């Protein structure tokens, strides 16, 4: 039988991949993607700072899209670009081929893989009457400009078969600058028109209101789902009963963060650092020292633990 | 969602498509793994989808079942698998549908002559390649734009091809099938020779639409009628009286020359002659005696006539004579008429089969037998090397002499009990040869005696000549039991003698010694 302590570590808060909140940024991204899909924009770029929560946002959103007309599900294929020594088109196709879980055969020609992928996306597109399928290319900054041709080719072939492939490239803003810059050249005008005209900047927590909404998620999200206590209640049951809420501490936390934001010129608080701050506060400091002793120092310590400062110092 | 082994080509899927078509679209939707689709995907299906692997043992079926399970996640694998059948071939196909990656199982049914969607004739051969539609085995290697994997996918997915009207037409035909199956409230009567009179209509039967129309009292719409063969059905009402075994004295068996037998034989000879004349442009001659013609009409006629007369000279045989080919089709099957030798039985009760009904059955049997023999003669001439495999193949190869539908034709009889003492014999009166898409080759004129301008007296003389042979056999007859043995032996000799001319025309490649013992009865 597991002890209470062991059970405690089963909590999603200790499992970074399980901890997924629909934050204001995620909602904004959702609205933007919805807008692109409904308006028939078949290509776009989503950029944002590293560790800001783009991938998690897509994990949350990828199965939420439906067609405008009949509300049928639009399938979304997520493809994480791997880094390879030789950035060839065939390598990109092969990576995409394997991401579709085709394991048959070893050596395939680019044409064969391309045709196979066309039919793969066609199958997915046929799940709705509008024949739309989404392809999210995560970490697209690892691609060379020529490798983007793969997506243009797939898009063109599917268009001939009456299906629409929406390709949205997602990556780190700084690293993608070079690639986006390359697309400005005249010889890549066809790529620019398809994928780079529409840009969206994904940001983390930008103001105290965003922070409040994020903190509120700890106060309302339950574990186990629906029947269990909220995250805050789970770790601070007595205080929660007395009406103590994490959301109420938003001002204090924001003040602490603001100091660093100004020093390091941070645009927005990345979700990784935010979660890295709140988790130790909620699971270690507050249960140990009580909520009455919550102070600026304690929050500062948590921000330090999250790794925000060294990461940004190094980045700048 | 479990990982996908292969693409399922959902964009090309259509309602009412055949499993052959499902397999073809799977191959098209998986260009990088088509050639080894079965070999490679089977072990993966075994690992990922053990239910499918257990449900069916055939690899093609496994792949098809996999495709269905992806497309329709709610299907019950075991239940669906038990009904899953796949024909290794599509025998007939609409060339326009083939280009659009569609095939329906009803296209293989003989009663459908034209594609209900495109209103063009259904073909046995691909118009582009000039050969048969590829089997599931050959499909992965066929790159034809019509019958293979090289179709223009954009055209295939263009809107308008499979619209509501097309589906309506197909659905209607499916409805015909579903309702015609078991639509007759008939009972399983068995004739005295053990031959069962049918009590249901198979959807594949040529008579399915006719039964639907005639017995369900529902007219087939004129829009669809032009695409179907609706055989004419006739009815004959007769009295169902109990059969008294004491009526058999033994004398009737010997007395085989009933007054109504010969007129029927003559009428059938006329019918055959008329059919041959219509097929060969009124210039054909039939070699009535030499037996050494290269013409399948003549070979078939000689063989047929000799066997017909042999049956009636043989008191040792049972009341019918039947010989089957290796393809299990009756080569020759004629009910032997007689005053009391024909009866019907059902659930242990035996009824007389009146002369009127006997005449009908006898007439149709005679006619069917000629065409069965004709088909056999064409087989032998087409495949002089006549081994089992080639003859099996012949069942699906078009016959140059009679057109494509010949292999599927037959006469069927149904008995419907109307009241306690009355019954209805329902039968088809349509000519056996299908009228559509006939492709004929003129038969040779030399060494053949003309039947086209034959007069009644000459015909009688001709028949009497044959009967002379029959009388010779009759003269040899001794007491009943001995006759049975002797004539049985004699008949087998005669059979061998009659097979021999056909085999000799098949360029003497077939081993005649082994021919009648194993070749026919397999």
């Amino acid at each position: 039988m597991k002890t209470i302590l062991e059970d405690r570590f089963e909590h999603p808060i200790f499992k970074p991949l399980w901890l997924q909140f629909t934050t204001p940024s995620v909602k904004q991204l959702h609205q933007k993607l919805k807008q692109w899909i409904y308006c028939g924009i078949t290509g776009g770029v989503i950029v944002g700072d590293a560790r800001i929560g783009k991938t998690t946002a897509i994990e949350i959103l990828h199965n939420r899209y439906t067609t405008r007309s009949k509300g049928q599900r639009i399938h979304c294929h997520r493809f994480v670009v791997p880094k390879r020594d030789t950035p060839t088109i065939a390598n990109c196709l092969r990576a995409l081929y394997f991401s579709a879980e085709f394991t048959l055969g070893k050596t395939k020609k680019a044409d064969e893989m391309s045709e196979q992928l066309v039919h793969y996306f066609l199958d997915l597109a046929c799940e709705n009457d509008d024949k739309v399928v989404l392809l999210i290319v995560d970490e697209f900054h690892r691609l060379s400009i020529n490798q983007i041709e793969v997506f243009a080719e797939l898009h063109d072939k599917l268009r001939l078969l009456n299906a629409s492939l929406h390709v949205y490239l997602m990556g780190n803003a700084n690293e993608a600058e070079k690639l986006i810059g390359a697309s400005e050249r005249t010889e890549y005008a066809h790529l620019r028109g398809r994928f780079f005209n529409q840009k969206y900047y994904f940001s983390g927590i930008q103001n105290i209101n965003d922070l409040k909404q994020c903190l509120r998620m700890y106060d309302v999200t339950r574990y186990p789902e629906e029947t269990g206590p909220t995250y805050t209640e789970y770790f601070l049951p007595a205080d929660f009963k007395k009406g103590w809420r994490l959301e109420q501490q938003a001002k204090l936390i924001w003040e602490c963060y603001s100091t660093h934001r100004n020093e390091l010129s941070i645009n927005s608080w990345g979700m990784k650092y935010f979660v890295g701050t709140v988790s130790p506060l909620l699971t270690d400091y507050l249960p140990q020292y009580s909520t009455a002793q919550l102070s600026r120092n304690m929050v500062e310590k948590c921000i330090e633990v999250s790794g925000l400062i060294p990461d940004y110092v190094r980045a700048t | 969602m479990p990982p996908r082994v292969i693409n399922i080509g959902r964009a090309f899927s259509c309602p009412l498509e055949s499993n052959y078509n499902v397999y073809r679209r799977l191959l098209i939707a998986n260009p990088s793994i088509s050639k080894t689709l079965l070999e490679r995907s089977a072990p993966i299906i075994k690992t990922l989808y053990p239910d499918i692997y257990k449900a069916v043992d055939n690899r093609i079926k496994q792949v098809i079942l996999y495709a269905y399970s992806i497309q329709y996640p709610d299907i019950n694998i075991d239940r669906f698998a038990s009904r899953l059948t796949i024909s290794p071939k599509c025998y007939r196909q609409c060339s326009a549908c083939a280009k659009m990656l569609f095939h329906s199982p009803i296209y293989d049914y003989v009663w459908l002559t034209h594609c209900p969607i495109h209103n063009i004739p259904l073909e046995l051969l691909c118009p582009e390649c000039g050969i048969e539609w590829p089997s599931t085995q050959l499909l992965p290697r066929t790159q034809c734009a019509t019958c293979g994997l090289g179709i223009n996918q954009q055209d295939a997915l263009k809107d308008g091809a499979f619209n509501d009207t097309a589906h309506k037409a197909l659905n209607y035909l499916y409805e015909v099938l579903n309702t015609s199956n078991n639509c007759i409230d008939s009972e399983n009567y068995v004739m005295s020779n053990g031959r069962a009179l049918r009590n249901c209509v198979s959807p594949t039967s040529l008579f399915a639409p006719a039964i639907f129309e005639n017995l369900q009292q529902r007219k087939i719409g004129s829009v669809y009628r032009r695409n179907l063969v609706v055989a004419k059905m006739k009815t004959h009402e007769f009295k169902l009286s109990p059969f008294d075994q004491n009526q058999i004295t033994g004398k009737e068996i010997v007395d085989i020359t009933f007054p109504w037998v010969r007129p029927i034989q003559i009428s059938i000879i006329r019918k055959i002659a008329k059919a041959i004349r219509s097929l060969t442009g009124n210039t054909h001659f039939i070699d009535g005696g030499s037996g050494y013609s290269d013409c399948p009409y003549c070979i078939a006629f000689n063989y047929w006539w000799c066997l017909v007369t042999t049956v009636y000279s043989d008191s040792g045989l049972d009341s019918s004579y039947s010989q089957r080919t290796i393809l299990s089709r009756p080569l020759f099957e004629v009910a032997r008429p007689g005053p009391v030798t024909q009866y019907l039985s059902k659930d242990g009760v035996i009824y007389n089969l009146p002369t009127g009904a006997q005449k009908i059955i006898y007439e149709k049997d005679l006619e069917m037998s000629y065409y069965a023999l004709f088909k056999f003669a064409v087989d032998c001439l087409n495949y002089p090397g006549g081994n089992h495999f080639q003859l099996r193949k012949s069942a699906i190869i078009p016959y140059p002499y009679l057109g494509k539908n010949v292999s599927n034709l037959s006469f069927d009889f149904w008995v419907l009990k109307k009241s306690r003492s009355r019954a209805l014999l329902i039968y088809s009166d349509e000519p056996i040869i299908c009228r559509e898409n006939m492709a004929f080759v003129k038969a040779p004129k030399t060494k053949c005696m003309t039947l086209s301008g034959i007069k009644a007296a000459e015909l009688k003389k001709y028949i009497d000549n044959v009967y002379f042979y029959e009388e010779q056999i009759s003269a040899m007859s001794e007491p009943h039991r001995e006759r049975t043995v002797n004539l049985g032996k004699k008949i087998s000799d005669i059979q061998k003698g009659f097979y021999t001319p056909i085999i000799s025309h098949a360029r003497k490649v077939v081993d005649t010694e082994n021919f009648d013992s194993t070749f026919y009865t397999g």
Side-chain angles (χ1 to χ4, degrees), chain B residues 154-173:
Chain B
Q154 293 166 42
D155 288 349
L157 289 175
K158 265 183 191 165
D159 290 338
F162 291 98
N163 51 24
D164 287 346
T165 318
H167 279 141
K168 203 177 162 189
L170 278 172
N171 269 322
Y172 179 82
L173 294 174

Side-chain angles (χ1 to χ4, degrees), chain A residues 73 75 97 100-106 108 112-113 115-124 126-127 131 160-162, chain B residues 1-12 28-34 36-37 40-41 44 153-154 157-159:
Chain A
R73 187 189 168 211
H75 203 284
Y97 187 81
E101 301 193 46
F102 290 119
T103 52
L104 302 173
K106 288 174 184 173
K108 296 285 173 204
E112 286 177 342
M113 288 188 289
E115 284 299 313
Q116 186 75 16
L117 286 167
V118 165
H119 283 284
Y120 170 73
F121 286 115
L122 189 60
D123 269 1
L124 298 182
C126 287
E127 286 180 12
K131 290 197 177 176
L160 289 172
L161 299 173
N162 300 333
Chain B
M1 184 188 286
R4 294 190 179 201
V5 180
I6 49 172
N7 293 326
I8 59 169
R10 189 194 288 256
F12 301 100
I28 286 173
N30 294 281
S32 74
I33 48 181
S34 283
T36 51
L37 182 66
R40 296 282 178 81
S41 56
I44 296 173
Q153 295 179 18
Q154 293 166 42
L157 289 175
K158 265 183 191 165
D159 290 338

Side-chain angles (χ1 to χ4, degrees), chain B residues 72-108:
Chain B
Y72 310 105
D74 298 332
I75 64 165
N76 181 330
I77 295 285
D78 288 332
R79 203 173 158 192
F80 195 78
S82 63
R83 288 181 289 141
L84 184 68
T85 56
I86 176 170
S87 172
K89 273 188 76 74
C90 80
Y91 296 101
R92 301 202 303 163
Q93 167 70 303
C94 162
S95 53
C97 285
K99 282 179 185 166
M100 298 165 70
L101 192 46
F102 181 74
H103 174 259
S104 169
I106 64 168
Y107 289 0
D108 285 341

